[in-house]
Amino acid sequence: SGSVVGAIAGSALARALTALLPARHLVLAAAVAFAAAAVAPRLWADGSAGGRRREQWRDLAGVGREILTRPYLRRVAILVLLAAVTFTLVDSVFMSGTESLGGDRLVATGELVECFARTCLFVNVLSLVVQLGLVGWLLRHLGLVSAVVVVPAILLLTTLGFAVGGGLTLALLLKVSDGALRHSLHRTGTELLFVPLTDGMRARVKGLIDVLGQRGGQAIASVLILMLLSTSATDRTFAAIACVTAAAWLFVVGGLREHYLDLFRQTLDAETGRSGAAFPTLDRASIDTLLETLGSTDDRKVVAALELLSAQGRTADVPTTILFHPSPSVVARALDLFASARTESAVEVSRRLLDHADGDVRAAALRLMSVLSPSRAVFEKAFDDPDPRAASTAEVAFV
């Protein structure tokens, strides 16, 4: 949202400057803005962080091999590359399509810059509306991978429309679709694709994917545009190529879900025993993955999934049938989570667990009952429990 607000401020400033200065002076204004943007982070830079970052960039070949050999990372890198190529081609199509504004006298030549500034201001405001009002809703209801599909799908339709029909209206529609989604849904979705990675892997690969994917994609598209400009290619040709890259982008995203869930499961295994506080709010697909993990034969994975679901405030999604799990550690942890979440449906099952063979499970069942269904008779009976954990729990609950 901050970057989009900055784009709005920049568009508004450009609109104001065009009323006072010739268009060429906007280049100087942009240079000043870039210089300020470069200096500002240095004022708050953390020297140790810079050292760590330099350390991460030393083994570029190793990081590159890691990206190429892991299917998920390879797909994300290709996605970022194709997205950059498509966006750059779309910009070219828009600029080519709007050249007719002055030629057809729809807008006076001296007012073209003002017209562009107004267009950018409108698009950036729309992007902020999408970011604040639509992105969160899409991620919650569609899941991350399905939400990421939206951007290439819309660009595929708009570029195809322009390639077939051409014209200023379709050029503006293409720019609005691009501008409203690029810095909102696309950027947010791309950032969230790195969530399933472990902290160490994310630190190693994200910077390289961002630089080579985004800047490399822009460079590839720019070279392609320069080559086409030396021929008789029209703006519809650029749109047709953008249509192809958007289709390829859509294909890559379409095959991402399986790899995303597999990596999430692997990370869950690697992160077992660590706090779930480092995880941001998870989308529906990730929650479903955690629920699927509850059926794992690995007790550590099941307990880790329970912890993450609890940290996400999703204990209510955990079925009470987990209390019939063969592992005492899983059952005891589930009972404590149900007690914390005050899950009333777990009371009846917990009564049966008062006679469980494991003392820790019996103690956990007593803790749950002390919160949700205290019973003097039950506690008194447990005073004589042979396991000191269960007996002391009953005494505390009785008091």
Side-chain angles (χ1 to χ4, degrees), residues 108-119:
T109 303
E111 297 177 1
L112 278 174
V113 176
E114 181 182 343
C115 178
F116 283 130
R118 279 200 304 267
T119 302

Side-chain angles (χ1 to χ4, degrees), residues 182-257:
R182 184 192 304 195
H183 300 296
S184 53
L185 181 57
H186 169 68
R187 182 170 180 178
T188 303
T190 302
E191 293 293 328
L192 289 176
L193 288 175
F194 291 97
V195 169
L197 302 176
T198 60
D199 293 341
M201 182 181 294
R202 188 184 306 117
R204 289 195 304 274
V205 304
K206 187 178 185 301
L208 188 60
I209 289 178
D210 284 343
V211 171
L212 295 185
Q214 183 174 351
R215 302 309 175 194
Q218 291 173 336
I220 291 173
S222 299
V223 171
L224 182 61
I225 291 169
L226 288 173
M227 293 172 61
L228 290 174
L229 287 175
S230 63
T231 68
S232 58
T234 65
D235 50 1
R236 291 193 185 187
T237 305
F238 294 127
I241 297 174
C243 183
V244 172
T245 58
W249 176 9
L250 188 62
F251 175 78
V252 171
V253 177
L256 197 62
R257 178 181 173 82

Side-chain angles (χ1 to χ4, degrees), residues 16 134 183 226 298 343:
L134 186 61
H183 300 296
L226 288 173
D298 188 332
T343 306

Side-chain angles (χ1 to χ4, degrees), residues 46-275:
D46 181 355
S48 61
R52 291 193 299 270
R53 193 173 298 111
R54 286 191 293 272
E55 184 69 26
Q56 294 163 5
W57 283 92
R58 285 181 180 175
D59 186 19
L60 287 180
V63 175
R65 284 194 298 272
E66 192 166 19
I67 294 173
L68 291 175
T69 56
R70 290 177 176 268
Y72 180 78
L73 294 178
R74 187 168 62 246
R75 281 183 175 270
V76 171
I78 295 173
L79 182 155
V80 173
L81 180 73
L82 288 172
V85 171
T86 305
F87 285 133
T88 306
L89 288 170
V90 166
D91 284 337
S92 177
V93 170
F94 173 69
M95 294 302 295
S96 299
T98 51
E99 282 180 357
S100 61
L101 284 172
D104 295 342
R105 301 188 183 279
L106 297 175
V107 178
T109 303
E111 297 177 1
L112 278 174
V113 176
E114 181 182 343
C115 178
F116 283 130
R118 279 200 304 267
T119 302
C120 290
L121 179 59
F122 168 76
V123 167
N124 288 320
V125 170
L126 182 60
S127 179
L128 182 62
V129 171
V130 171
Q131 175 69 33
L132 297 179
L134 186 61
V135 172
W137 184 88
L138 284 173
L139 290 170
R140 284 193 301 272
H141 290 80
L142 298 182
L144 175 58
V145 177
S146 297
V148 171
V149 168
V150 171
V151 181
I154 291 178
L155 289 181
L156 175 61
L157 292 175
T158 52
T159 52
L160 180 62
F162 186 87
V164 173
L168 178 59
T169 301
L170 288 172
L172 289 173
L173 178 61
L174 182 59
K175 180 60 178 177
V176 169
S177 301
D178 164 32
L181 299 174
R182 184 192 304 195
H183 300 296
S184 53
L185 181 57
H186 169 68
R187 182 170 180 178
T188 303
T190 302
E191 293 293 328
L192 289 176
L193 288 175
F194 291 97
V195 169
L197 302 176
T198 60
D199 293 341
M201 182 181 294
R202 188 184 306 117
R204 289 195 304 274
V205 304
K206 187 178 185 301
L208 188 60
I209 289 178
D210 284 343
V211 171
L212 295 185
Q214 183 174 351
R215 302 309 175 194
Q218 291 173 336
I220 291 173
S222 299
V223 171
L224 182 61
I225 291 169
L226 288 173
M227 293 172 61
L228 290 174
L229 287 175
S230 63
T231 68
S232 58
T234 65
D235 50 1
R236 291 193 185 187
T237 305
F238 294 127
I241 297 174
C243 183
V244 172
T245 58
W249 176 9
L250 188 62
F251 175 78
V252 171
V253 177
L256 197 62
R257 178 181 173 82
E258 179 182 353
H259 298 290
Y260 172 82
L261 296 179
D262 285 344
L263 181 61
F264 199 97
R265 294 186 185 100
Q266 294 170 14
T267 302
L268 178 64
D269 187 25
E271 297 287 328
T272 298
R274 295 180 54 181
S275 170

